[in-house]
Short mmCIF file of all heavy atoms in Angstrom, two decimals:
data_model
loop_
_atom_site.label_atom_id
_atom_site.label_comp_id
_atom_site.label_asym_id
_atom_site.label_seq_id
_atom_site.Cartn_x
_atom_site.Cartn_y
_atom_site.Cartn_z
N PRO A 1 4.24 297.96 44.32
CA PRO A 1 4.36 297.77 42.86
C PRO A 1 3.04 297.45 42.18
O PRO A 1 2.78 297.91 41.08
CB PRO A 1 5.33 296.60 42.77
CG PRO A 1 6.21 296.73 43.99
CD PRO A 1 5.27 297.18 45.06
N LYS A 2 2.17 296.69 42.88
CA LYS A 2 0.89 296.34 42.29
C LYS A 2 -0.03 297.55 42.12
O LYS A 2 -1.02 297.47 41.35
CB LYS A 2 0.17 295.26 43.15
CG LYS A 2 -0.19 295.75 44.56
CD LYS A 2 -0.83 294.64 45.35
CE LYS A 2 -1.19 295.12 46.77
NZ LYS A 2 -1.81 294.05 47.57
N ASP A 3 0.27 298.65 42.83
CA ASP A 3 -0.54 299.86 42.70
C ASP A 3 -0.22 300.63 41.44
O ASP A 3 -1.04 301.42 40.94
CB ASP A 3 -0.30 300.80 43.90
CG ASP A 3 -0.69 300.16 45.25
OD1 ASP A 3 -1.68 299.40 45.23
OD2 ASP A 3 -0.01 300.45 46.24
N ILE A 4 0.98 300.42 40.89
CA ILE A 4 1.42 301.14 39.69
C ILE A 4 0.86 300.48 38.42
O ILE A 4 0.47 301.17 37.48
CB ILE A 4 2.97 301.19 39.62
CG1 ILE A 4 3.52 301.95 40.81
CG2 ILE A 4 3.42 301.81 38.30
CD1 ILE A 4 3.13 303.40 40.85
N ALA A 5 0.83 299.15 38.41
CA ALA A 5 0.49 298.43 37.21
C ALA A 5 -0.88 298.83 36.61
O ALA A 5 -0.97 299.02 35.38
CB ALA A 5 0.55 296.92 37.45
N PRO A 6 -1.96 298.96 37.39
CA PRO A 6 -3.23 299.33 36.76
C PRO A 6 -3.18 300.68 36.06
O PRO A 6 -3.81 300.86 35.02
CB PRO A 6 -4.21 299.34 37.96
CG PRO A 6 -3.60 298.43 38.95
CD PRO A 6 -2.11 298.63 38.84
N ALA A 7 -2.42 301.62 36.63
CA ALA A 7 -2.30 302.95 35.98
C ALA A 7 -1.57 302.82 34.65
O ALA A 7 -1.90 303.50 33.66
CB ALA A 7 -1.57 303.91 36.92
N VAL A 8 -0.56 301.92 34.57
CA VAL A 8 0.16 301.73 33.33
C VAL A 8 -0.76 301.08 32.28
O VAL A 8 -0.74 301.46 31.11
CB VAL A 8 1.39 300.88 33.55
CG1 VAL A 8 2.09 300.57 32.23
CG2 VAL A 8 2.37 301.57 34.50
N MET A 9 -1.61 300.16 32.73
CA MET A 9 -2.58 299.54 31.79
C MET A 9 -3.54 300.62 31.23
O MET A 9 -3.82 300.64 30.03
CB MET A 9 -3.39 298.45 32.49
CG MET A 9 -2.57 297.30 33.09
SD MET A 9 -1.47 296.44 31.89
CE MET A 9 0.14 297.00 32.46
N GLN A 10 -3.97 301.53 32.07
CA GLN A 10 -4.84 302.61 31.61
C GLN A 10 -4.09 303.53 30.66
O GLN A 10 -4.65 304.01 29.69
CB GLN A 10 -5.34 303.44 32.82
CG GLN A 10 -6.29 302.67 33.74
CD GLN A 10 -6.64 303.45 34.99
OE1 GLN A 10 -6.44 304.65 35.06
NE2 GLN A 10 -7.14 302.73 35.97
N LEU A 11 -2.81 303.77 30.93
CA LEU A 11 -2.00 304.63 30.11
C LEU A 11 -1.81 304.03 28.71
O LEU A 11 -1.85 304.72 27.69
CB LEU A 11 -0.64 304.91 30.74
CG LEU A 11 0.33 305.87 30.06
CD1 LEU A 11 -0.32 307.22 29.79
CD2 LEU A 11 1.61 306.02 30.85
N ILE A 12 -1.63 302.72 28.65
CA ILE A 12 -1.52 302.03 27.38
C ILE A 12 -2.81 302.23 26.54
O ILE A 12 -2.72 302.49 25.35
CB ILE A 12 -1.25 300.52 27.58
CG1 ILE A 12 0.12 300.28 28.17
CG2 ILE A 12 -1.41 299.75 26.24
CD1 ILE A 12 0.39 298.85 28.62
N GLU A 13 -3.94 302.14 27.22
CA GLU A 13 -5.24 302.23 26.51
C GLU A 13 -5.70 303.66 26.32
O GLU A 13 -6.69 303.89 25.60
CB GLU A 13 -6.26 301.43 27.30
CG GLU A 13 -5.92 299.93 27.34
CD GLU A 13 -6.90 299.13 28.16
OE1 GLU A 13 -7.48 299.69 29.09
OE2 GLU A 13 -7.08 297.93 27.86
N ASP A 14 -5.02 304.63 26.92
CA ASP A 14 -5.40 306.04 26.77
C ASP A 14 -5.15 306.52 25.34
O ASP A 14 -4.17 306.10 24.71
CB ASP A 14 -4.58 306.87 27.77
CG ASP A 14 -5.02 308.35 27.76
OD1 ASP A 14 -6.01 308.63 28.41
OD2 ASP A 14 -4.36 309.14 27.07
N PRO A 15 -6.03 307.35 24.78
CA PRO A 15 -5.90 307.75 23.37
C PRO A 15 -4.76 308.70 23.07
O PRO A 15 -4.46 308.96 21.91
CB PRO A 15 -7.24 308.39 23.06
CG PRO A 15 -7.78 308.85 24.39
CD PRO A 15 -7.29 307.83 25.37
N SER A 16 -4.10 309.27 24.08
CA SER A 16 -3.03 310.25 23.85
C SER A 16 -1.81 309.52 23.22
O SER A 16 -1.60 308.33 23.39
CB SER A 16 -2.63 310.95 25.13
OG SER A 16 -2.22 309.98 26.09
N ASN A 17 -1.01 310.33 22.53
CA ASN A 17 0.16 309.75 21.85
C ASN A 17 1.45 309.93 22.63
O ASN A 17 2.43 309.22 22.39
CB ASN A 17 0.35 310.47 20.48
CG ASN A 17 -0.83 310.26 19.59
OD1 ASN A 17 -1.51 309.24 19.67
ND2 ASN A 17 -1.12 311.24 18.76
N ASN A 18 1.53 310.92 23.55
CA ASN A 18 2.79 311.18 24.25
C ASN A 18 2.56 311.72 25.65
O ASN A 18 3.22 312.63 26.08
CB ASN A 18 3.65 312.14 23.45
CG ASN A 18 2.95 313.50 23.23
OD1 ASN A 18 1.77 313.62 23.48
ND2 ASN A 18 3.69 314.46 22.72
N ALA A 19 1.60 311.13 26.37
CA ALA A 19 1.29 311.62 27.73
C ALA A 19 2.36 311.18 28.76
O ALA A 19 3.07 310.19 28.56
CB ALA A 19 -0.07 311.09 28.20
N ALA A 20 2.45 311.96 29.82
CA ALA A 20 3.25 311.57 30.99
C ALA A 20 2.30 311.63 32.20
O ALA A 20 1.75 312.67 32.49
CB ALA A 20 4.41 312.54 31.20
N TRP A 21 2.14 310.48 32.85
CA TRP A 21 1.23 310.41 33.97
C TRP A 21 1.98 310.25 35.28
O TRP A 21 3.01 309.55 35.32
CB TRP A 21 0.30 309.19 33.82
CG TRP A 21 -0.81 309.39 32.82
CD1 TRP A 21 -0.94 310.40 31.94
CD2 TRP A 21 -1.92 308.52 32.63
NE1 TRP A 21 -2.09 310.22 31.18
CE2 TRP A 21 -2.72 309.08 31.60
CE3 TRP A 21 -2.34 307.32 33.20
CZ2 TRP A 21 -3.88 308.46 31.13
CZ3 TRP A 21 -3.49 306.71 32.78
CH2 TRP A 21 -4.26 307.28 31.75
N VAL A 22 1.48 310.90 36.32
CA VAL A 22 2.05 310.80 37.65
C VAL A 22 1.13 309.97 38.54
O VAL A 22 -0.08 310.20 38.57
CB VAL A 22 2.24 312.20 38.29
CG1 VAL A 22 2.64 312.10 39.76
CG2 VAL A 22 3.28 313.00 37.52
N LYS A 23 1.70 309.03 39.27
CA LYS A 23 0.94 308.17 40.20
C LYS A 23 1.60 308.24 41.55
O LYS A 23 2.75 307.85 41.73
CB LYS A 23 0.92 306.73 39.70
CG LYS A 23 0.25 305.75 40.63
CD LYS A 23 -1.25 306.05 40.76
CE LYS A 23 -1.92 305.00 41.63
NZ LYS A 23 -3.38 305.35 41.85
N MET A 24 0.84 308.80 42.54
CA MET A 24 1.36 308.93 43.91
C MET A 24 0.34 308.40 44.88
O MET A 24 -0.83 308.22 44.53
CB MET A 24 1.68 310.40 44.20
CG MET A 24 2.76 311.00 43.35
SD MET A 24 3.01 312.76 43.64
CE MET A 24 3.55 312.75 45.35
N THR A 25 0.76 308.18 46.11
CA THR A 25 -0.15 307.71 47.15
C THR A 25 -1.14 308.79 47.45
O THR A 25 -0.84 310.00 47.44
CB THR A 25 0.60 307.36 48.44
OG1 THR A 25 1.38 308.50 48.86
CG2 THR A 25 1.53 306.17 48.22
N GLU A 26 -2.37 308.39 47.75
CA GLU A 26 -3.46 309.23 48.22
C GLU A 26 -3.89 310.29 47.18
O GLU A 26 -4.68 311.20 47.51
CB GLU A 26 -3.07 309.96 49.54
CG GLU A 26 -2.73 308.97 50.65
CD GLU A 26 -2.28 309.68 51.91
OE1 GLU A 26 -2.24 310.94 51.93
OE2 GLU A 26 -1.99 308.99 52.89
N TYR A 27 -3.38 310.22 45.99
CA TYR A 27 -3.76 311.18 44.96
C TYR A 27 -4.19 310.41 43.69
O TYR A 27 -3.63 309.35 43.40
CB TYR A 27 -2.56 312.08 44.55
CG TYR A 27 -2.13 313.01 45.67
CD1 TYR A 27 -1.07 312.63 46.50
CD2 TYR A 27 -2.74 314.23 45.90
CE1 TYR A 27 -0.63 313.46 47.56
CE2 TYR A 27 -2.31 315.05 46.93
CZ TYR A 27 -1.27 314.67 47.73
OH TYR A 27 -0.85 315.48 48.76
N PRO A 28 -5.17 310.92 42.99
CA PRO A 28 -5.55 310.28 41.73
C PRO A 28 -4.43 310.42 40.70
O PRO A 28 -3.63 311.37 40.77
CB PRO A 28 -6.80 311.04 41.31
CG PRO A 28 -6.71 312.37 41.97
CD PRO A 28 -6.02 312.11 43.25
N THR A 29 -4.38 309.50 39.78
CA THR A 29 -3.37 309.58 38.70
C THR A 29 -3.61 310.90 37.93
O THR A 29 -4.76 311.25 37.61
CB THR A 29 -3.52 308.40 37.73
OG1 THR A 29 -3.35 307.22 38.52
CG2 THR A 29 -2.46 308.46 36.65
N SER A 30 -2.55 311.64 37.70
CA SER A 30 -2.70 312.93 37.01
C SER A 30 -1.74 313.03 35.84
O SER A 30 -0.78 312.28 35.71
CB SER A 30 -2.40 314.06 38.03
OG SER A 30 -1.11 313.93 38.57
N THR A 31 -2.02 313.98 34.95
CA THR A 31 -1.22 314.19 33.73
C THR A 31 -0.24 315.36 33.93
O THR A 31 -0.63 316.40 34.48
CB THR A 31 -2.12 314.49 32.54
OG1 THR A 31 -3.02 313.40 32.36
CG2 THR A 31 -1.31 314.72 31.26
N VAL A 32 1.00 315.16 33.50
CA VAL A 32 1.99 316.25 33.58
C VAL A 32 1.65 317.28 32.49
O VAL A 32 1.47 316.90 31.35
CB VAL A 32 3.42 315.71 33.37
CG1 VAL A 32 4.42 316.84 33.34
CG2 VAL A 32 3.77 314.74 34.47
N LYS A 33 1.59 318.53 32.86
CA LYS A 33 1.37 319.60 31.90
C LYS A 33 2.68 320.28 31.62
O LYS A 33 3.28 320.92 32.50
CB LYS A 33 0.37 320.62 32.49
CG LYS A 33 -1.00 320.04 32.81
CD LYS A 33 -1.75 319.58 31.57
CE LYS A 33 -3.15 319.11 31.90
NZ LYS A 33 -3.88 318.61 30.71
N PHE A 34 3.17 320.16 30.40
CA PHE A 34 4.44 320.78 30.04
C PHE A 34 4.22 322.17 29.45
O PHE A 34 3.22 322.43 28.77
CB PHE A 34 5.13 319.92 28.92
CG PHE A 34 5.53 318.55 29.40
CD1 PHE A 34 4.76 317.42 29.09
CD2 PHE A 34 6.71 318.38 30.13
CE1 PHE A 34 5.13 316.17 29.52
CE2 PHE A 34 7.08 317.14 30.57
CZ PHE A 34 6.29 316.01 30.26
N ALA A 35 5.14 323.08 29.78
CA ALA A 35 5.10 324.41 29.20
C ALA A 35 5.50 324.30 27.74
O ALA A 35 6.48 323.65 27.38
CB ALA A 35 6.06 325.33 29.95
N GLU A 36 4.71 324.92 26.88
CA GLU A 36 5.02 324.94 25.45
C GLU A 36 5.38 326.33 25.03
O GLU A 36 4.55 327.23 25.00
CB GLU A 36 3.81 324.43 24.65
CG GLU A 36 3.47 322.96 24.98
CD GLU A 36 2.38 322.41 24.08
OE1 GLU A 36 1.87 323.20 23.21
OE2 GLU A 36 2.02 321.25 24.25
N ILE A 37 6.66 326.52 24.71
CA ILE A 37 7.18 327.85 24.36
C ILE A 37 7.13 327.98 22.86
O ILE A 37 7.79 327.21 22.12
CB ILE A 37 8.59 328.03 24.86
CG1 ILE A 37 8.66 327.83 26.39
CG2 ILE A 37 9.15 329.40 24.49
CD1 ILE A 37 10.06 327.83 26.96
#
């Protein structure tokens, strides 16, 4: 659980308005790219 919290703090401070971030083991935090039709 303590591994998730820092990413959430970064997400709060990120300038985007509606981002979705993925946090997994052994991978850097990444942004979900949605298809825009």
Side-chain angles (χ1 to χ4, degrees):
K2 64 182 180 180
D3 299 326
I4 297 296
V8 175
M9 300 304 109
Q10 293 173 17
L11 183 56
I12 292 171
E13 296 176 332
D14 185 81
S16 58
N17 300 328
N18 60 349
W21 283 11
V22 172
K23 176 65 177 176
M24 298 175 62
T25 55
E26 301 178 0
Y27 295 95
T29 303
S30 57
T31 301
V32 177
K33 300 294 185 182
F34 294 100
E36 295 186 359
I37 302 174

